[in-house]
Amino acid sequence: MSQRLGRRSVACTSGLPCILAACLLSTHPVRGGQPPDWIAFVGSPRLDIPYAIAVDPSGSVYVTGESDGGEPPPGAPPDICDDDDVCLDWLTAKISADGAELWRARHRGPGNSHDDAQAIGVDGEGNVLVAGRTSAPDSPDTFTVVKYAPDGAEVWVRSLVPPGGCDPCYPAVAAISVDAPGEVTWTGTSERFEPAPVPRYVGSFVTARYAADGALLWSSVETPARLPGMPPLPGIQSVSGDGTVHVAGVAHDAVSGVSSIITAAYAPDGAPLWSRRWPQPTALGGPAALGVDGSGAVVVAGSIQISSTDYDFITLKYGRGGEELWSRRYDGPGAPEASWDGATAIAVSPQGAAYVIGTSQADDGRRELALVKYSASAAYVIGTSQADDGRRELALVKYSASGDEIWVRRSDAIGVPVGSANAVILDTDGSVLVSVTGGNLHPVFRCSPAGDLLERRAYESPSGIADVRAVHLEPTGRLYLACDARRPYGDVDYAVLRFTPAPPELRRGDSNATGSVEIGDAVFTLLYLFASGETPACFDAADANDDGSLDVSDPVATLIYLFLGGPPMPEPGPDGCGIDPTPDGLGCLAVECR
């Protein structure tokens, strides 16, 4: 049974177009956080920074990044490793489902210089594929892929010199995909400096695919970027079930002054299918995420810079053959001279609905969660940002199939602490799950296809854990984080945290979530039911007689219990917090029980 929204419900039809509508309704903030199931620390006595995380079906976790191995390059003085940008290796580790480290592997490039792993994936047999950069003082930097066996043994190493054989090149792997046969596809960027005739960087987007045995199946290069003193922004990538590869990036031509969002598609054998450029006003901003629907259409979301202090969401949709279907900007109500809006993540359903997560600014300077929805092959855009008074809001904007704005809802009612929205996924039942990280609190909330807010909880990491570097969110609400662990004397290690949602606790009859049951709870429920009052944060708590529905009999039961010596309230009762033993599906937002 779904939660009743009463007179406060948002008018909409059932299905994906209504997702998140009711998330505007609860004003009870997340007050505290559930601690992690476990924390696994991986590192050396020096500097270790995680950059990517992956989880296999058994629950084992894989993390990779850069680690200061403390060994200087050949011929270099021993103290050169005191520089944090030298003597860096790849460090990859596997952690069991119960948080125990199973193995770790260090990869050192041929020059023993600045090497850093940037992406990780796992194939169906438990082999681990890691991609990143390796460098050497007297040779070009290279894109590198390392394959590890399930026990951590190195199987093969493959390197690809960026276009132009440059030194340095600054190659950066932005995304990696591993499919069932064990083939791996990655995309990234590199740049080289040309001092004449005009000092500039020439940037390239590089995509490559390797077979399971390490054979290079194909590679493709686009060289669209001529940048005044800056490299192209990292690319993004998606590999469809049929093996089609879509990539997107941004580049600015310093000569012509034209800046473009570039989206391209490659066939499974690497043959170019199409490439499209979408002009943007300035060199900054660009795509941050893309997804592909069941028809093969690709949706790209990110940000564009309108002025030095004004950024907007940008969402582009291309058909299977590369035809532009539509492009839409979302400009929040913030003042044009200082409005920071930008998307950061996306999830696309087979039917074409897309959910894009990003940032938006309010008209009074507050930073908000913003959700933009494009209907019919839709896109929802949701994000977070910092308010001048520290408050957070959720905003929902609905667009028609042609992109016309139908309505806007903005509210600080969701009570999400300061942070950044970083992941949005769709469950098989059509519900949408969003995670937010900020400081040590990491809220997660879910809404049903009808727009009901089904759950909202906060996970909390302990002090000393900072800088969330990578996130893995599962449809169950389980959350994995790769963070920095600050150690004494400047040491930094990987910290891998797992959070599993616990059943929410409630106090029976405490409809207004004040921590006690009194006449105000009955009044609160009556106002909700009949006078457009505030929505209870926990419907199971407001269901005072535990009959599986919220109606007038519940405030009556509360009043009889309080003033007429009525029967005891059902478990967990009004005197303490506990779990509802009745599986009625009424729902609770997992806010802290007081």
Coordinates of all heavy atoms in Angstrom, one line a residue, residues 415-492:
G415 N 14.5 18.6 3.8 CA 15.4 18.6 4.9 C 16.7 17.9 4.7 O 17.2 17.2 5.6
V416 N 17.3 18.0 3.5 CA 18.6 17.4 3.2 C 19.7 18.3 3.7 O 19.7 19.5 3.3 CB 18.7 17.1 1.7 CG1 20.1 16.5 1.4 CG2 17.6 16.1 1.3
P417 N 20.6 17.8 4.4 CA 21.8 18.7 4.8 C 22.6 19.1 3.7 O 22.5 18.7 2.6 CB 22.6 17.7 5.8 CG 21.6 16.6 6.1 CD 20.7 16.5 5.0
V418 N 23.5 20.1 4.0 CA 24.4 20.6 3.0 C 25.2 19.5 2.3 O 25.7 18.6 3.0 CB 25.3 21.7 3.6 CG1 26.3 22.1 2.6 CG2 24.5 22.8 4.1
G419 N 25.3 19.5 1.0 CA 26.0 18.5 0.3 C 25.9 18.7 -1.2 O 25.4 19.6 -1.7
S420 N 26.3 17.6 -1.9 CA 26.2 17.6 -3.4 C 25.5 16.3 -3.8 O 25.9 15.3 -3.4 CB 27.6 17.7 -4.0 OG 28.2 18.9 -3.7
A421 N 24.5 16.5 -4.6 CA 23.8 15.3 -5.2 C 24.8 14.6 -6.2 O 25.4 15.3 -7.0 CB 22.5 15.7 -5.9
N422 N 24.9 13.3 -6.0 CA 26.0 12.7 -6.9 C 25.5 11.4 -7.6 O 26.3 10.9 -8.4 CB 27.2 12.4 -6.0 CG 26.8 11.6 -4.7 OD1 26.0 10.7 -4.8 ND2 27.5 11.9 -3.6
A423 N 24.4 10.9 -7.3 CA 24.0 9.6 -8.0 C 22.5 9.6 -8.0 O 21.8 10.0 -7.1 CB 24.5 8.4 -7.2
V424 N 21.9 9.1 -9.1 CA 20.5 8.8 -9.2 C 20.4 7.5 -10.1 O 21.0 7.4 -11.1 CB 19.8 10.0 -9.9 CG1 20.4 10.4 -11.2 CG2 18.3 9.7 -10.1
I425 N 19.6 6.6 -9.6 CA 19.4 5.3 -10.3 C 17.9 5.0 -10.2 O 17.1 5.4 -9.4 CB 20.2 4.2 -9.7 CG1 19.8 3.9 -8.2 CG2 21.7 4.4 -9.8 CD1 20.5 2.7 -7.6
L426 N 17.5 4.1 -11.2 CA 16.1 3.6 -11.2 C 16.1 2.2 -10.8 O 16.9 1.4 -11.2 CB 15.6 3.7 -12.7 CG 15.5 5.1 -13.3 CD1 15.0 5.0 -14.7 CD2 14.6 6.0 -12.4
D427 N 15.1 1.8 -9.9 CA 14.9 0.5 -9.5 C 14.0 -0.2 -10.5 O 13.4 0.4 -11.3 CB 14.3 0.4 -8.1 CG 14.6 -0.9 -7.4 OD1 15.0 -1.8 -8.0 OD2 14.4 -0.9 -6.2
T428 N 14.0 -1.5 -10.4 CA 13.1 -2.3 -11.4 C 11.6 -2.0 -11.2 O 10.9 -2.2 -12.1 CB 13.4 -3.8 -11.2 OG1 13.2 -4.2 -9.8 CG2 14.8 -4.2 -11.6
D429 N 11.2 -1.6 -10.0 CA 9.8 -1.2 -9.8 C 9.5 0.2 -10.2 O 8.3 0.6 -10.1 CB 9.5 -1.4 -8.3 CG 10.2 -0.5 -7.4 OD1 11.1 0.3 -7.9 OD2 10.0 -0.5 -6.2
G430 N 10.4 0.9 -10.8 CA 10.2 2.2 -11.3 C 10.5 3.3 -10.3 O 10.4 4.5 -10.7
S431 N 10.8 3.0 -9.1 CA 11.1 4.0 -8.1 C 12.5 4.5 -8.4 O 13.3 3.9 -9.1 CB 11.1 3.4 -6.7 OG 12.1 2.4 -6.5
V432 N 12.7 5.8 -8.0 CA 14.0 6.4 -8.2 C 14.7 6.7 -6.9 O 14.1 7.0 -5.9 CB 13.8 7.7 -9.0 CG1 13.0 8.7 -8.2 CG2 15.1 8.4 -9.4
L433 N 16.0 6.5 -6.9 CA 16.8 6.6 -5.7 C 17.9 7.6 -5.9 O 18.6 7.6 -7.0 CB 17.4 5.2 -5.4 CG 18.0 5.0 -4.0 CD1 16.9 5.1 -2.9 CD2 18.6 3.6 -3.9
V434 N 18.1 8.5 -5.0 CA 19.0 9.6 -5.1 C 19.9 9.6 -3.9 O 19.4 9.5 -2.7 CB 18.3 11.0 -5.2 CG1 19.3 12.1 -5.3 CG2 17.4 11.0 -6.5
S435 N 21.2 9.8 -4.1 CA 22.1 9.9 -3.0 C 22.8 11.3 -3.0 O 23.0 11.9 -4.1 CB 23.2 8.9 -3.0 OG 24.1 9.1 -4.0
V436 N 23.1 11.8 -1.8 CA 23.7 13.1 -1.6 C 24.8 13.0 -0.6 O 24.7 12.3 0.4 CB 22.6 14.2 -1.1 CG1 23.2 15.5 -0.9 CG2 21.4 14.2 -2.1
T437 N 25.9 13.6 -0.9 CA 27.0 13.6 0.1 C 27.4 15.0 0.4 O 27.4 15.9 -0.4 CB 28.2 12.9 -0.4 OG1 28.7 13.5 -1.6 CG2 27.9 11.4 -0.7
G438 N 27.7 15.2 1.7 CA 28.1 16.5 2.2 C 28.7 16.4 3.6 O 28.0 16.0 4.5
G439 N 30.0 16.8 3.8 CA 30.5 16.6 5.1 C 30.5 15.1 5.4 O 30.9 14.3 4.7
N440 N 30.0 14.8 6.6 CA 30.0 13.5 7.1 C 28.6 12.9 7.0 O 28.4 11.7 7.4 CB 30.5 13.4 8.5 CG 31.9 13.7 8.7 OD1 32.3 14.8 8.9 ND2 32.8 12.7 8.4
L441 N 27.6 13.6 6.5 CA 26.3 13.1 6.3 C 26.0 12.8 4.8 O 26.4 13.5 3.9 CB 25.2 14.1 6.7 CG 24.9 14.1 8.2 CD1 23.8 15.2 8.5 CD2 24.4 12.7 8.7
H442 N 25.4 11.6 4.6 CA 25.2 11.1 3.2 C 23.7 10.7 3.1 O 23.4 9.5 3.1 CB 26.1 10.0 2.9 CG 27.5 10.2 3.4 ND1 28.4 11.2 2.8 CD2 28.2 9.7 4.4 CE1 29.5 11.2 3.4 NE2 29.5 10.3 4.4
P443 N 22.8 11.6 2.8 CA 21.4 11.3 2.7 C 21.1 10.5 1.4 O 21.7 10.7 0.4 CB 20.7 12.6 2.7 CG 21.7 13.6 3.2 CD 23.0 13.1 2.8
V444 N 20.1 9.6 1.5 CA 19.6 8.8 0.4 C 18.1 8.9 0.5 O 17.5 8.7 1.6 CB 20.1 7.4 0.4 CG1 19.4 6.6 -0.7 CG2 21.6 7.3 0.2
F445 N 17.4 9.2 -0.6 CA 16.0 9.1 -0.6 C 15.4 8.5 -1.8 O 16.0 8.5 -2.9 CB 15.3 10.5 -0.4 CG 15.6 11.5 -1.4 CD1 14.8 11.7 -2.5 CD2 16.8 12.3 -1.3 CE1 15.0 12.6 -3.5 CE2 17.0 13.3 -2.3 CZ 16.2 13.4 -3.4
R446 N 14.2 7.9 -1.7 CA 13.6 7.2 -2.8 C 12.1 7.6 -2.9 O 11.4 7.9 -1.9 CB 13.6 5.7 -2.4 CG 12.9 4.8 -3.5 CD 12.6 3.4 -2.9 NE 13.7 2.7 -2.4 CZ 14.5 1.9 -3.1 NH1 14.3 1.7 -4.4 NH2 15.6 1.3 -2.6
C447 N 11.7 7.7 -4.2 CA 10.3 8.0 -4.4 C 9.7 7.0 -5.4 O 10.4 6.4 -6.2 CB 10.2 9.4 -5.1 SG 10.6 10.8 -3.9
S448 N 8.4 6.8 -5.2 CA 7.7 5.8 -6.0 C 7.4 6.3 -7.4 O 7.5 7.5 -7.7 CB 6.4 5.4 -5.3 OG 5.5 6.4 -5.4
P449 N 6.9 5.4 -8.3 CA 6.5 5.9 -9.6 C 5.4 6.9 -9.6 O 5.2 7.8 -10.4 CB 6.1 4.7 -10.4 CG 6.8 3.6 -9.7 CD 7.0 4.0 -8.3
A450 N 4.5 6.8 -8.5 CA 3.4 7.8 -8.3 C 3.9 9.1 -7.7 O 3.0 10.0 -7.5 CB 2.3 7.1 -7.5
G451 N 5.1 9.2 -7.3 CA 5.6 10.4 -6.7 C 5.6 10.4 -5.2 O 5.9 11.4 -4.5
D452 N 5.2 9.3 -4.5 CA 5.2 9.2 -3.1 C 6.7 9.1 -2.6 O 7.5 8.4 -3.1 CB 4.5 8.0 -2.6 CG 3.0 8.0 -2.9 OD1 2.5 9.1 -3.1 OD2 2.5 6.9 -3.1
L453 N 7.0 9.9 -1.6 CA 8.3 9.8 -0.9 C 8.3 8.5 0.0 O 7.6 8.4 1.0 CB 8.6 11.0 0.0 CG 9.9 11.0 0.7 CD1 11.1 10.9 -0.3 CD2 10.0 12.3 1.5
L454 N 9.0 7.5 -0.5 CA 8.9 6.2 0.2 C 9.9 6.1 1.3 O 9.6 5.4 2.3 CB 9.2 5.1 -0.8 CG 8.2 5.0 -2.0 CD1 8.7 3.8 -3.0 CD2 6.8 4.7 -1.5
E455 N 11.0 6.6 1.2 CA 12.0 6.6 2.3 C 13.0 7.7 2.2 O 13.2 8.2 1.1 CB 12.8 5.2 2.3 CG 13.6 5.0 1.1 CD 14.4 3.7 1.2 OE1 15.3 3.7 2.1 OE2 14.2 2.8 0.5
R456 N 13.5 8.1 3.3 CA 14.6 9.1 3.3 C 15.4 8.8 4.6 O 14.9 8.6 5.7 CB 14.0 10.5 3.4 CG 15.1 11.6 3.4 CD 14.6 12.9 3.7 NE 14.1 13.0 5.1 CZ 13.2 13.8 5.6 NH1 12.6 14.7 4.7 NH2 12.8 13.8 6.8
R457 N 16.7 8.6 4.4 CA 17.6 8.3 5.5 C 18.9 9.0 5.3 O 19.2 9.5 4.2 CB 17.8 6.8 5.6 CG 18.5 6.2 4.4 CD 18.6 4.7 4.5 NE 17.3 4.0 4.3 CZ 16.7 3.4 5.3 NH1 17.3 3.3 6.5 NH2 15.5 2.8 5.1
A458 N 19.7 9.0 6.3 CA 21.0 9.6 6.2 C 22.0 8.6 6.8 O 21.8 8.1 7.9 CB 21.1 11.0 7.0
Y459 N 23.1 8.4 6.1 CA 24.2 7.7 6.6 C 25.2 8.7 7.1 O 25.3 9.8 6.6 CB 24.8 6.8 5.5 CG 23.9 5.8 4.9 CD1 23.6 5.8 3.5 CD2 23.2 4.9 5.7 CE1 22.8 4.8 2.9 CE2 22.3 4.0 5.1 CZ 22.1 4.0 3.7 OH 21.2 3.0 3.2
E460 N 26.0 8.3 8.0 CA 27.0 9.2 8.6 C 28.4 8.5 8.7 O 28.5 7.4 9.3 CB 26.5 9.7 10.0 CG 27.4 10.7 10.6 CD 26.8 11.4 11.8 OE1 25.8 10.9 12.3 OE2 27.4 12.3 12.3
S461 N 29.4 9.1 8.2 CA 30.8 8.6 8.3 C 31.4 9.3 9.5 O 31.1 10.4 9.9 CB 31.6 8.9 7.0 OG 31.5 10.3 6.7
P462 N 32.3 8.6 10.2 CA 33.0 9.1 11.4 C 33.9 10.3 11.0 O 34.3 10.5 9.9 CB 33.7 7.9 12.0 CG 34.0 7.1 10.8 CD 32.8 7.2 9.9
S463 N 34.3 11.0 12.1 CA 35.3 12.1 11.9 C 36.6 11.5 11.4 O 37.0 10.3 11.7 CB 35.5 12.8 13.2 OG 36.0 11.9 14.2
G464 N 37.3 12.3 10.6 CA 38.6 11.8 10.0 C 38.4 11.2 8.6 O 39.4 11.0 7.9
I465 N 37.1 11.0 8.2 CA 36.8 10.5 6.9 C 36.3 11.7 6.1 O 35.3 12.4 6.5 CB 35.7 9.4 6.9 CG1 36.2 8.3 7.8 CG2 35.5 9.0 5.5 CD1 37.4 7.6 7.3
A466 N 37.0 12.1 5.0 CA 36.7 13.3 4.3 C 36.8 13.1 2.8 O 37.3 12.1 2.3 CB 37.6 14.4 4.7
D467 N 36.3 14.1 2.0 CA 36.5 14.1 0.6 C 36.0 12.8 -0.1 O 36.8 11.9 -0.4 CB 37.9 14.4 0.2 CG 38.4 15.7 0.7 OD1 37.6 16.6 0.8 OD2 39.7 15.8 0.9
V468 N 34.7 12.7 -0.3 CA 34.1 11.6 -1.0 C 34.6 11.6 -2.4 O 34.4 12.6 -3.2 CB 32.6 11.6 -1.0 CG1 32.0 10.4 -1.8 CG2 32.1 11.5 0.5
R469 N 35.4 10.6 -2.9 CA 36.0 10.6 -4.2 C 35.2 9.8 -5.2 O 35.2 10.0 -6.4 CB 37.4 10.0 -4.1 CG 38.3 10.7 -3.1 CD 38.9 11.9 -3.7 NE 39.9 12.6 -2.8 CZ 40.6 13.6 -3.2 NH1 40.5 14.1 -4.4 NH2 41.5 14.1 -2.3
A470 N 34.5 8.7 -4.7 CA 33.7 7.9 -5.6 C 32.6 7.3 -4.9 O 32.6 7.0 -3.7 CB 34.6 6.8 -6.2
V471 N 31.5 7.0 -5.6 CA 30.2 6.6 -5.0 C 29.7 5.4 -5.8 O 29.7 5.4 -7.1 CB 29.2 7.7 -5.0 CG1 27.8 7.2 -4.5 CG2 29.7 8.8 -4.1
H472 N 29.1 4.4 -5.1 CA 28.4 3.3 -5.8 C 27.1 3.1 -5.0 O 27.1 2.8 -3.8 CB 29.2 2.0 -5.8 CG 28.4 0.9 -6.4 ND1 28.5 0.6 -7.7 CD2 27.6 -0.1 -5.8 CE1 27.7 -0.5 -8.0 NE2 27.2 -0.9 -6.8
L473 N 26.0 3.4 -5.7 CA 24.7 3.3 -5.1 C 23.9 2.1 -5.7 O 23.9 2.0 -6.9 CB 23.9 4.6 -5.3 CG 22.5 4.7 -4.8 CD1 22.4 4.6 -3.3 CD2 21.8 6.0 -5.2
E474 N 23.3 1.3 -4.9 CA 22.5 0.2 -5.4 C 21.0 0.4 -5.2 O 20.6 1.2 -4.3 CB 22.9 -1.1 -4.6 CG 24.4 -1.5 -4.9 CD 24.8 -2.8 -4.3 OE1 24.1 -3.2 -3.3 OE2 25.8 -3.4 -4.7
P475 N 20.2 -0.3 -6.0 CA 18.7 -0.1 -5.9 C 18.1 -0.4 -4.5 O 17.1 0.2 -4.1 CB 18.1 -1.0 -6.9 CG 19.2 -1.2 -7.9 CD 20.5 -1.1 -7.1
T476 N 18.8 -1.2 -3.7 CA 18.3 -1.5 -2.4 C 18.5 -0.3 -1.4 O 18.0 -0.4 -0.3 CB 19.1 -2.7 -1.8 OG1 20.5 -2.4 -1.8 CG2 18.9 -3.9 -2.7
G477 N 19.3 0.7 -1.8 CA 19.7 1.8 -0.9 C 21.0 1.6 -0.3 O 21.5 2.5 0.5
R478 N 21.7 0.5 -0.6 CA 23.0 0.3 0.0 C 23.9 1.2 -0.8 O 23.9 1.4 -2.0 CB 23.5 -1.2 -0.2 CG 24.9 -1.4 0.2 CD 25.2 -2.9 0.2 NE 24.6 -3.6 1.3 CZ 24.7 -4.9 1.5 NH1 25.3 -5.7 0.6 NH2 24.2 -5.5 2.6
L479 N 24.8 1.8 0.0 CA 25.7 2.9 -0.5 C 27.2 2.5 -0.2 O 27.5 2.1 1.0 CB 25.4 4.2 0.1 CG 26.2 5.4 -0.3 CD1 25.9 5.8 -1.8 CD2 25.9 6.6 0.6
Y480 N 28.0 2.6 -1.2 CA 29.5 2.5 -1.0 C 30.2 3.8 -1.3 O 29.8 4.4 -2.3 CB 30.0 1.4 -1.9 CG 29.5 0.0 -1.7 CD1 28.3 -0.4 -2.3 CD2 30.1 -0.9 -0.9 CE1 27.7 -1.6 -2.2 CE2 29.6 -2.2 -0.8 CZ 28.4 -2.6 -1.4 OH 27.9 -3.8 -1.2
L481 N 31.1 4.2 -0.4 CA 31.9 5.4 -0.6 C 33.4 5.1 -0.6 O 33.8 4.2 0.2 CB 31.6 6.4 0.5 CG 30.1 6.9 0.7 CD1 30.0 7.8 1.9 CD2 29.6 7.5 -0.6
A482 N 34.1 5.7 -1.5 CA 35.6 5.8 -1.4 C 36.0 7.2 -1.0 O 35.7 8.1 -1.7 CB 36.2 5.3 -2.7
C483 N 36.6 7.3 0.1 CA 37.0 8.6 0.7 C 38.4 8.7 1.1 O 39.1 7.7 1.1 CB 36.1 8.9 1.9 SG 34.3 8.6 1.7
D484 N 38.8 9.9 1.5 CA 40.1 10.1 2.1 C 40.0 9.8 3.6 O 39.1 10.2 4.2 CB 40.6 11.5 1.9 CG 40.9 11.8 0.4 OD1 40.9 10.9 -0.4 OD2 41.2 13.0 0.1
A485 N 41.0 9.1 4.1 CA 41.1 8.9 5.6 C 42.3 9.7 6.1 O 43.4 9.4 5.7 CB 41.3 7.5 5.9
R486 N 42.0 10.8 6.8 CA 43.1 11.7 7.3 C 43.7 11.0 8.5 O 43.1 10.7 9.5 CB 42.5 13.0 7.7 CG 41.7 13.7 6.6 CD 42.6 14.1 5.4 NE 41.9 14.8 4.4 CZ 42.5 15.3 3.3 NH1 43.8 15.2 3.1 NH2 41.7 15.9 2.4
R487 N 45.0 10.8 8.4 CA 45.8 10.2 9.4 C 46.8 11.2 10.0 O 47.0 12.3 9.5 CB 46.7 9.1 8.8 CG 45.9 8.0 8.1 CD 45.0 7.3 9.1 NE 44.7 5.9 8.6 CZ 43.9 5.1 9.2 NH1 43.3 5.4 10.3 NH2 43.6 3.9 8.7
P488 N 47.3 10.9 11.2 CA 48.3 11.9 11.8 C 49.5 12.1 10.9 O 49.9 11.3 10.1 CB 48.7 11.2 13.1 CG 47.6 10.2 13.4 CD 47.1 9.7 12.0
Y489 N 50.1 13.2 11.1 CA 51.4 13.6 10.4 C 51.2 13.7 8.9 O 52.1 13.5 8.1 CB 52.5 12.6 10.8 CG 52.6 12.3 12.2 CD1 52.3 11.1 12.8 CD2 53.1 13.3 13.1 CE1 52.4 10.9 14.1 CE2 53.2 13.1 14.5 CZ 52.8 11.9 15.0 OH 52.9 11.6 16.3
G490 N 50.0 14.0 8.4 CA 49.8 14.3 7.0 C 49.5 13.1 6.2 O 49.3 13.2 5.0
D491 N 49.5 11.9 6.7 CA 49.3 10.7 6.0 C 47.8 10.6 5.6 O 46.9 11.0 6.4 CB 49.6 9.5 6.8 CG 49.4 8.1 6.1 OD1 49.4 8.2 4.8 OD2 49.1 7.1 6.8
V492 N 47.5 10.2 4.4 CA 46.2 10.0 3.9 C 46.0 8.6 3.3 O 46.9 8.2 2.5 CB 45.8 11.0 2.8 CG1 44.4 10.8 2.3 CG2 45.9 12.4 3.3

